[in-house]
Amino acid sequence: MRQDEVWDTEAAQRYDTPGTGMFAPEVLGPTVDRLVELAGGGRALEFAVGTGRVAVPLARRGVSVTGIELSRPMLDRLRSTVDESTIPVVVGDMATATAPGRYSLVYLVYNTISNLLTQAEQIDCFRNAARHLDPGGRFVVELGVPDLRRLPPGRDAAVFHSEPGYLGVDTYDLVRQHLVSHHFTFDGSGRVRLARSPHRYVWPAELDLMASVAGFDLESRHADWAGAEFTAESDSHVSVYRVR
């Protein structure tokens, strides 16, 4: 399953959920506040900018934002909100595409680095971030912590969310560190819509090694954008790397 098959027109049309989920003020507000702080008045580059969930409010806070995006349907949704002069976007893979200029901040949000399905591609993503950064610039990665403790012995699937009208199931390939998230949505007629997304999960320690290979040092790690302490029970982290 290629990423351009996952982030197609249908996915782009249903991605934005204003005011709820990832777009809820209590989720988006701390994200933008922290990125404004980390940009430090400089330019920011978002890898996999998508429909602009983060880039648009960040630009409205006065940060000069550029994006890289592989999915043209997602970019079309962004363009329905802001034009090229407000948030310029390079169409391409975040592991290899080059945006013009240099930046004080490059960032990846909401597990996006896991969309790269090999370790080599994920390392290339770090290297690409380093190529775009000013000396001392920062690369920020928001990523979930693999929750393999949910897997019963001998099983390779686990429910990660269940509510009326929706069921989320992850299936795991433990050898390749792959998982596929299966999203089942049920309507009132009894019909079921299935959407799937493949990922390569990464442990924090492996992420730090990738960063070191690409010339970064870990500056900070928190459990969320508001700065909560990262612990053994944290299900995600926001890691800030500084280029050497």
Side-chain angles (χ1 to χ4, degrees):
M1 187 184 302
R2 301 190 313 269
Q3 292 302 323
D4 58 353
E5 295 174 327
V6 176
W7 304 108
D8 58 12
T9 300
E10 182 180 354
Q13 289 175 343
R14 66 171 185 268
Y15 188 80
D16 292 358
T17 56
T20 63
M22 293 185 296
F23 290 78
E26 63 270 21
V27 175
L28 195 51
T31 304
V32 174
D33 288 344
R34 181 69 171 135
L35 290 173
V36 169
E37 176 189 350
L38 290 170
R43 302 173 68 216
L45 174 63
E46 180 171 354
F47 283 177
V49 67
T51 65
R53 178 182 71 95
V54 174
V56 171
L58 191 60
R60 288 172 178 164
R61 290 281 297 273
V63 178
S64 174
V65 183
T66 298
I68 291 175
E69 177 55 51
L70 182 63
S71 167
R72 288 190 178 274
M74 296 289 276
L75 179 54
D76 289 343
R77 291 285 292 179
L78 172 62
R79 286 289 165 254
S80 70
T81 305
V82 296
D83 60 22
E84 180 75 15
S85 64
T86 303
I87 300 178
V89 176
V90 173
V91 177
D93 189 320
M94 61 186 170
T96 57
T98 301
R102 306 280 284 186
Y103 301 85
S104 64
L105 176 68
V106 178
Y107 65 94
L108 270 173
V109 296
Y110 209 72
N111 303 322
T112 307
I113 197 169
S114 71
N115 292 338
L116 299 170
L117 299 181
T118 68
Q119 185 184 72
E121 289 175 311
Q122 291 171 343
I123 293 172
D124 284 345
C125 184
F126 272 92
R127 287 175 169 150
N128 199 27
R131 283 193 292 269
H132 284 90
L133 284 168
D134 293 321
R138 294 179 173 97
F139 182 37
V140 183
V141 180
E142 179 187 17
L143 186 61
V145 177
D147 191 7
L148 300 186
R149 289 176 292 186
R150 291 183 302 156
L151 284 179
R155 302 291 180 88
D156 61 2
V159 174
F160 66 83
H161 191 81
S162 177
E163 63 181 56
Y166 174 78
L167 178 66
V169 178
D170 283 338
T171 56
Y172 290 84
D173 178 340
L174 300 180
V175 173
R176 296 192 298 163
Q177 289 183 212
H178 279 189
L179 70 85
V180 178
S181 293
H182 306 259
H183 307 272
F184 299 90
T185 305
F186 308 87
D187 63 25
S189 68
R191 291 178 298 180
V192 181
R193 184 181 67 198
L194 170 62
R196 295 179 297 170
S197 58
H199 305 269
R200 181 184 186 271
Y201 60 83
V202 186
W203 299 100
E206 183 187 4
L207 200 72
D208 294 348
L209 183 58
M210 293 180 186
S212 181
V213 167
F216 289 97
D217 294 315
L218 179 66
E219 183 174 78
S220 67
R221 171 168 290 136
H222 293 97
D224 58 26
W225 290 98
E229 181 185 3
F230 180 76
T231 72
E233 300 304 314
S234 299
D235 60 7
S236 65
H237 60 95
V238 176
S239 296
V240 180
Y241 298 97
R242 195 151 195 165
V243 71
R244 298 186 195 119

